[in-house]
Amino acid sequence: MSDRAHDEKATPKAAPAPDPHAALRAGHVARAKSAAVRAAAVCHHIERHGAEQNTAWQATHAARASVQALAVLSESAPDPAADSRCARNAAAAAARAAQLGQLHDGDSEPAVAACRAALQASRAASAAAGRDALGADEALNAAADRAEAAARTAAEHAGWLRPGRRLPEIPTGLRSPELMAMLHF
């Protein structure tokens, strides 16, 4: 055995460095998925209960926008700033869906609370994605995670989201390169 082969055997190879963006991405993906599920659930709720055509169309559009943001996130390379913008966009679309859910359900306390929680989740996601944080601020990401969990719970209390119920697939629709580029910003 040569000296070089002996040295290579004796010196263990260092494990590859962990991707510093992996944990950040996981949080942004989880928030985006949760927001997309909330938006789809509101859309399904509105359609099931025979909303007027314009409200149903707007809810479908909001759900599609949240799914598109999630699709962009899943198709892109890890980047905390871009990932957080996608999560922010999904949360904003879910907030719009919640507004439509409240419009459909009226001013019942659960609907008002779910809409309020969705708006707060959208604001928290926006703060996490903001110019100062760029998706990497742990405190802002934690606040966005808590706000998303609260929005999900409120959507359950409003009857919009039912754990265990399979939601219909929301198609992303036609995705032009221009639209996909905009969803990152």
Side-chain angles (χ1 to χ4, degrees):
M1 181 183 286
S2 72
D3 289 336
R4 182 174 175 208
H6 186 322
D7 289 344
E8 286 178 4
K9 266 189 161 181
T11 308
K13 293 189 178 191
D19 181 3
H21 301 307
L24 289 171
R25 174 165 258 216
H28 298 312
V29 167
R31 277 198 315 278
K33 279 184 182 177
S34 178
V37 166
R38 284 190 297 111
V42 173
C43 178
H44 183 61
H45 170 79
I46 287 172
E47 288 173 349
R48 263 194 6 243
H49 291 95
E52 73 170 44
Q53 186 175 7
N54 187 45
T55 303
W57 180 86
Q58 288 184 50
T60 300
H61 179 69
R64 185 175 296 124
S66 68
V67 171
Q68 286 175 343
L70 181 59
V72 168
L73 176 55
S74 67
E75 294 167 0
S76 63
D79 175 358
D83 295 350
S84 66
R85 287 190 301 267
C86 289
R88 174 202 62 200
N89 293 343
R96 178 61 184 143
Q99 289 173 323
L100 294 162
Q102 182 185 347
L103 177 69
H104 178 264
D105 289 359
D107 288 333
S108 71
E109 180 52 40
V112 170
C115 184
R116 190 178 306 124
L119 291 169
Q120 180 56 40
S122 178
R123 284 190 291 272
S126 182
R131 180 175 63 205
D132 296 331
L134 297 175
D137 184 289
E138 289 181 28
L140 291 175
N141 286 331
D145 291 343
R146 289 189 301 274
E148 180 56 40
R152 191 174 180 103
T153 299
E156 290 173 6
H157 289 307
W160 298 341
L161 179 62
R162 296 177 189 218
R165 176 184 281 167
R166 183 156 170 81
L167 294 170
E169 189 80 17
I170 302 291
T172 58
L174 182 61
R175 295 177 9 192
S176 69
E178 294 81 17
L179 173 65
M180 299 289 79
M182 286 189 314
L183 286 173
H184 270 299
F185 298 106

